[in-house]
Amino acid sequence: MSDAVLLNLVLVLPVVGAALLTLVRRNAEAVRVTTTAIMTVQFALAAVLYLHFDGTMAGLQAGTSIPWIPQWGVSYAVGLDGVNILLVLLTAFLGPLVVLGAWTAIKKDVALFHVNVLLLQFAMMGAFLAQDLFLFYLFWEAMLIPMFLIIGIWGGARRSYATVKFVLYTAFGSILMLAAVIYLVWSLQQAGAAPSFAFADLVQARLPLEVQTTLLAAFALSFAIKVPMVPLHTWLPDAHVEAPTPGSVILAGVLLKMGTYGFMKLGFPLFPDATRVFTPVLMTLSVVSIVYGACLALVQQDIKKIIAYSSISHLGYVMLGLLSLDLAGIQGAVVQMVSHGLVAAGLFLLVGMIYERGHTRELSAYGGLARQLPVFGVFFIIFTLASVGLPTTSGFTGEFLVLLGAFTAAWPQHLDGNNLPLVLSMTAVTGVVLGALYMLRFALTFVFGPVKAPHGELAALTLREKTVLGILTVAVFALGLFPDGPLRKTELAARTFQQLVSTSRLPADAR
């Protein structure tokens, strides 16, 4: 079986799984088993594709391109490259763990819930694999519906407020991006090019600076909401708090990466001249997100909100690494995306497990969990240390490379009299210190100190829960101790991104 066929199977398997669930919809246990099996097969196929992927080969691999609407230049085009390979693997890896980790968290409408999880998996995978802007936009929009239903039906007491806010923010960004997509293709046609939505064609387009600026502003607003960057972040804490555990894990593990992936795959390479104009503003907002998110996490009493605000801070590092345009910074950004997906997924699963036992998210209600639930305490400390960037964990690799790249890129600019990048890089380091403060405060209150637990004694972790957390722990250390393999897979793509964004593509008569 060719890699192209395998890749299409990886994409459509969740839809097949959703159809199969209709056959066993009355048996909740069969629904969970079927969903886990489908997700596991998807991960196995994605792992094979990862092993087959050659990081030294330029261009798409395992690609498929079939004309869909020829008169508009729209194709069904999917494929793997160095930008999406790790994110595709991450999405497939987290799929079965989400279902297994929250096995007992969902008790009503179990079949409908898992159908939505599978359809969300399909849309997220499609957005990462799409190589046609029209197709990408369809998958981008499709993600909104199952996530809306997951929070709106199985969420907490304020789920209506959270879902409305989530939809308003993301729909506003999506409308702007749709307008920008139409304007971009229309602009290319006016310049005499054949209509095409293929990334490979769009990335060669030469557009005047004012057109690039307008289009990047629209794309950037849509992607910045998804990241999210301050001041467009306010939907995230509400969505995380009200979402059920699987929703929070998917949101933090994969969905938030759509914004940073959008910047790396589309926003910056399509409009390189406007990117350089916007870089000081975007870099400043990235560092503000790092520090502001960390400060807000430091004062939260809701344990889900602590992790939600920490996500804003961690994804600020991703943006800083991409904007540095340094090879180490760009690769660090990619590793940081994967690392945050693993660590945030682990922390949200732990919070979900303790919420099932204590039925409250108030930090002050818990204490001394290391003595009550020793295994839980060990896993919590591991993910806490990974979150603060302890060496040997994935968090260290990502943040270290991002900061190394940011300083490497800032120093020559400082020597030329531009001090802003260096000041921002130095400020970003304070985010590491603040990150250690809020996570250690979290751990000291939650895991150590006087023994406290709502509703009496807490039940120990089950074998299923230990297995899920153990698999995530292995992945966190594997990426921290052996980053060379993933870095080799993404190096050529990082160099291509660096070259695309550094090279002007203004029309010849506009230079």
Side-chain angles (χ1 to χ4, degrees):
M1 190 180 293
S2 72
D3 285 351
V5 175
L6 279 183
L7 188 68
N8 283 285
L9 274 177
V10 166
L11 177 59
V12 303
L13 260 177
V15 178
V16 175
L20 287 176
L21 290 192
T22 59
L23 303 176
V24 294
R25 63 186 182 280
R26 297 187 190 284
N27 185 333
E29 204 66 9
V31 167
R32 294 185 182 105
V33 170
T34 305
T35 308
T36 306
I38 290 290
M39 294 282 204
T40 304
V41 172
Q42 187 193 38
F43 169 63
L45 296 179
V48 170
L49 287 169
Y50 175 80
L51 293 174
H52 288 181
F53 185 81
D54 184 353
T56 62
M57 188 185 295
L60 281 181
Q61 296 178 39
T64 300
S65 182
I66 302 169
W68 182 11
I69 312 175
Q71 62 272 30
W72 292 1
V74 175
S75 300
Y76 167 78
V78 294
L80 289 172
D81 58 25
V83 179
N84 66 14
I85 181 69
L86 292 185
L87 295 171
V88 166
L89 188 65
L90 173 72
T91 306
F93 176 72
L94 289 180
L97 298 182
V98 167
V99 181
L100 282 171
W103 196 266
T104 54
I106 301 299
K107 294 183 172 61
K108 70 169 183 177
D109 299 325
V110 175
L112 181 60
F113 175 82
H114 286 84
V115 165
N116 277 288
V117 168
L118 286 165
L119 293 180
L120 182 56
Q121 183 84 347
F122 166 67
M124 292 189 301
M125 196 63 86
F128 284 135
L129 292 175
Q131 302 298 326
D132 179 283
L133 190 52
F134 189 89
L135 190 65
F136 172 82
Y137 186 79
L138 290 183
F139 282 122
W140 179 274
E141 285 299 285
M143 288 185 290
L144 185 62
I145 300 168
M147 197 67 214
F148 169 82
L149 294 174
I150 287 172
I151 301 175
I153 297 176
W154 294 275
R158 296 177 70 242
R159 58 185 180 274
S160 298
Y161 171 75
T163 46
V164 169
K165 200 170 180 180
F166 170 70
V167 168
L168 285 178
Y169 267 80
T170 49
F172 176 68
S174 298
I175 289 169
L176 284 177
M177 186 165 69
L178 176 61
V181 169
I182 294 170
Y183 185 50
L184 171 61
V185 176
W186 178 81
S187 298
L188 292 175
Q189 284 188 271
Q190 294 303 304
S196 175
F197 285 81
F199 292 166
D201 294 333
L202 296 176
V203 85
Q204 302 299 328
R206 294 183 176 276
L207 296 168
L209 182 59
E210 58 271 22
V211 175
Q212 286 194 33
T213 304
T214 304
L215 292 173
L216 178 60
F219 273 91
L221 193 59
S222 180
F223 296 147
I225 288 171
K226 216 74 159 189
V227 173
M229 294 175 74
V230 174
L232 304 168
H233 66 285
T234 60
W235 64 270
L236 182 67
D238 292 313
H240 265 311
V241 167
E242 298 306 324
T245 298
S248 291
V249 175
I250 296 170
L251 193 57
V254 182
L255 213 58
L256 298 187
K257 313 303 173 292
M258 290 296 165
T260 48
Y261 174 77
F263 274 116
M264 187 174 184
K265 182 74 179 181
L266 292 170
F268 297 156
L270 284 177
F271 317 113
D273 301 278
T275 297
R276 290 193 293 279
V277 172
F278 278 117
T279 292
V281 175
L282 289 173
M283 196 175 274
T284 302
L285 288 176
S286 303
V287 175
V288 169
S289 298
I290 291 171
V291 176
Y292 187 65
C295 289
L296 288 177
L298 196 55
V299 297
Q300 299 303 316
Q301 286 300 317
D302 186 311
I303 53 181
K304 264 192 165 183
K305 278 192 177 179
I306 296 174
I307 309 170
Y309 281 114
S310 76
S311 295
I312 296 169
S313 183
H314 286 301
L315 290 168
Y317 285 106
V318 177
M319 290 301 298
L320 181 65
L322 292 178
L323 289 161
S324 72
L325 289 187
D326 178 84
L327 182 62
I330 297 164
Q331 288 198 280
V334 176
V335 172
Q336 177 71 357
M337 281 191 252
V338 179
S339 171
H340 177 263
L342 298 173
V343 175
L347 287 170
F348 273 117
L349 282 170
L350 282 164
V351 167
M353 290 168 189
I354 206 67
Y355 180 75
E356 279 190 64
R357 290 161 170 81
H359 306 292
T360 177
R361 296 189 306 269
E362 280 299 311
L363 182 59
S364 59
Y366 298 96
L369 290 180
R371 274 182 279 178
Q372 301 178 77
L373 304 172
V375 177
F376 178 94
V378 169
F379 280 121
F380 188 83
I381 292 299
I382 289 172
F383 285 108
T384 297
L385 294 175
S387 179
V388 302
L390 181 80
T392 71
T393 65
S394 59
F396 172 78
T397 309
E399 289 188 2
F400 175 77
L401 287 175
V402 164
L403 290 173
L404 177 66
F407 276 102
T408 303
W411 188 250
Q413 297 180 65
H414 165 68
L415 295 179
D416 290 339
N418 180 9
N419 295 319
L420 181 64
L422 187 60
V423 171
L424 291 174
S425 301
M426 293 169 68
T427 308
V429 176
T430 63
V432 177
V433 179
L434 289 169
L437 283 176
Y438 68 71
M439 287 308 292
L440 291 179
R441 163 186 170 263
F442 187 12
L444 286 174
T445 308
F446 200 49
V447 180
F448 301 107
V451 172
K452 284 191 289 182
H455 314 301
E457 190 175 344
L458 299 172
L461 294 187
T462 64
L463 178 62
R464 169 184 55 80
E465 292 169 326
K466 290 176 191 172
T467 304
V468 171
L469 295 172
I471 292 171
L472 275 170
T473 302
V474 170
V476 165
F477 281 112
L479 185 57
L481 290 169
F482 310 104
D484 193 43
L487 289 176
R488 279 203 305 272
K489 300 269 187 191
T490 59
E491 182 177 346
L492 185 58
R495 289 188 187 280
T496 304
F497 170 80
Q498 190 181 32
Q499 187 263 331
L500 282 172
V501 183
S502 302
T503 306
S504 174
R505 283 209 306 281
L506 292 174
D509 57 357
R511 295 180 183 177

